[in-house]
Amino acid sequence: MNATFVTLARNSDLWEIVKSIRQVEDRFNRKFHYDWVFLNDKPFDEAFKNVTTSLISGKTHYGEISEEHWSFPEFIDTDKARRVREDMAQRKIIYGDSISYRHMCRFESGFFFLHPLMQKFEWYWRVEPSIELYCDINYDTFKYMRDHGKKYSFVLSLYEYVETIPTLWDSVKTFIKEHPEHIAEDNSMKWLSDDNGETYNHCHFWSNFEIGNLNWLRSQAYTDYFNRLDKDGGFFYERWGDAPVHSIAASLLLKKEEIHFFNDIAYYHVPFTHCPTGDQYRLDRKCHCNPKDNFDWKGYSCTSRFFETNNMEKPEGYKDQQD
């Protein structure tokens, strides 16, 4: 399969990303030897490259992000953006005063799949520092996606901080009016909205884990979608995250059946855990997660809504893990 892992990291992240690499290699990649692309807004140092290369069974690639993709675009009023950051800092909104976090969200939303190192690949699996994989993965997840017609996937979903995206849905509605041709039939609007698209319920797939199709992200539909959002300035005038941006795109531009929930990829990224429901299921996959930590069926998770939107049967025992 023409696929790669992809990680956005800094040199200072080395000892946290190696934890993730070990997890991915031990639970999955030692069987499949996929490549790994590392991207940074500064050059990677030799220590980062040497240590990560030694741990990865596939080929490693190290790239620097262009200034164009990690800076304020010309159409952004930087004084207005500064005032927004100051206001968010006062209101103690998470990452509200951070410039680099905004560059990261914009890059992950619109540019990572265009980086020269990514161009030769068709599929990606996003990995962030300090994650855990709790279960063995004994099949090729990329091949599964291709063979089953999937283009985007997730393991955790939840509601976004309302204060970070007050006008995101307004921009999405503008896009829908401008480009009705891009909206998929049998899409997942029901997952995003309780009133057929008038308002957004803030559900999103947690994008620190994603396995997806790069050709979809490079498509005209996604390009038009991202450009509409980018021009509206919400990455800098608010604090739009790549998670709701990707999630809304997948839910509107893809058919319902093209989005996959990887129940068997048991995953942790602070502070949430996906631990598969079902005792025998976990035993068969040599899992070491505590089922009591499973976030899927809690009140702040949107995974139950995903099952209902897709008319999927919830696993036996899910009620025992609700709040």
Side-chain angles (χ1 to χ4, degrees), residues 19-230:
K19 298 174 185 177
S20 302
I21 293 169
R22 276 258 54 117
Q23 297 275 335
V24 171
E25 286 290 329
D26 291 350
R27 289 296 196 174
F28 173 80
N29 203 41
R30 63 186 174 85
K31 310 177 194 80
F32 299 102
H33 315 301
Y34 279 110
D35 285 13
W36 206 307
V37 173
F38 293 92
L39 301 174
N40 188 350
D41 63 313
K42 302 285 193 299
F44 283 108
D45 60 32
E46 289 306 306
F48 188 101
K49 290 191 279 191
N50 290 339
V51 173
T52 52
T53 296
S54 74
L55 294 172
I56 293 168
S57 58
K59 293 179 181 177
T60 51
H61 312 269
Y62 302 88
E64 191 171 349
I65 298 166
S66 68
E67 185 178 355
E68 176 191 1
H69 291 165
W70 198 273
S71 60
F72 292 100
E74 290 181 358
F75 54 82
I76 291 297
D77 179 338
T78 54
D79 288 334
K80 177 181 176 181
R82 175 181 50 77
R83 291 193 296 272
V84 167
R85 295 193 303 275
E86 291 170 351
D87 173 65
M88 284 192 169
Q90 284 190 328
R91 291 189 285 143
K92 294 182 168 50
I93 295 172
I94 187 169
Y95 303 120
D97 62 344
S98 174
I99 296 176
S100 63
Y101 190 84
R102 285 173 167 81
H103 289 324
M104 181 275 290
C105 289
R106 182 171 178 255
F107 178 76
E108 293 282 23
S109 295
F111 303 123
F112 85 90
F113 45 87
L114 300 177
H115 191 281
L117 289 178
M118 297 295 290
Q119 289 294 343
K120 67 179 180 179
F121 296 108
E122 186 177 351
W123 300 90
Y124 74 100
W125 178 336
R126 177 170 163 181
V127 179
E128 295 208 351
S130 305
I131 66 152
E132 290 197 55
L133 292 180
Y134 291 117
C135 303
D136 285 350
I137 306 165
N138 296 316
Y139 66 99
D140 189 329
T141 54
F142 298 114
K143 189 173 185 297
Y144 178 92
M145 294 280 287
R146 183 197 65 188
D147 292 351
H148 292 83
K150 309 294 185 180
K151 293 184 180 177
Y152 188 82
S153 65
F154 73 102
V155 292
L156 285 163
S157 68
L158 63 156
Y159 294 94
E160 180 61 300
Y161 295 108
V162 179
E163 297 88 349
T164 66
I165 54 166
T167 68
L168 174 58
W169 194 248
D170 293 334
S171 292
V172 171
K173 289 200 287 187
T174 300
F175 163 75
I176 292 171
K177 289 177 183 175
E178 290 176 345
H179 291 286
E181 74 277 11
H182 292 329
I183 306 305
E185 293 184 19
D186 197 24
N187 59 47
S188 301
M189 176 65 88
K190 183 180 174 185
W191 187 73
L192 297 173
S193 176
D194 301 326
D195 50 21
N196 200 34
E198 186 58 34
T199 60
Y200 176 35
N201 61 24
H202 306 115
C203 276
H204 68 283
F205 307 121
W206 218 24
S207 62
N208 48 68
F209 168 95
E210 295 176 320
I211 299 176
N213 183 274
L214 291 161
N215 290 336
W216 168 60
L217 291 173
R218 298 177 189 128
S219 69
Q220 192 61 51
Y222 188 87
T223 300
D224 290 342
Y225 166 79
F226 172 75
N227 286 341
R228 172 72 270 162
L229 269 53
D230 198 31

Side-chain angles (χ1 to χ4, degrees), residues 218-282:
R218 298 177 189 128
S219 69
Q220 192 61 51
Y222 188 87
T223 300
D224 290 342
Y225 166 79
F226 172 75
N227 286 341
R228 172 72 270 162
L229 269 53
D230 198 31
K231 289 294 189 296
D232 286 346
F235 290 108
F236 299 104
Y237 299 148
E238 296 177 10
R239 205 229 67 193
W240 294 354
D242 56 280
V245 171
H246 282 191
S247 303
I248 292 168
S251 298
L252 296 181
L253 307 182
L254 299 178
K255 297 177 182 177
K256 281 191 297 190
E257 61 266 26
E258 293 178 309
I259 302 174
H260 182 60
F261 171 54
F262 271 112
N263 184 47
D264 49 355
I265 299 183
Y267 177 82
Y268 171 79
H269 182 294
V270 64
F272 298 119
T273 297
H274 164 63
C275 186
T277 305
D279 292 345
Q280 192 59 48
Y281 197 94
R282 292 189 300 274

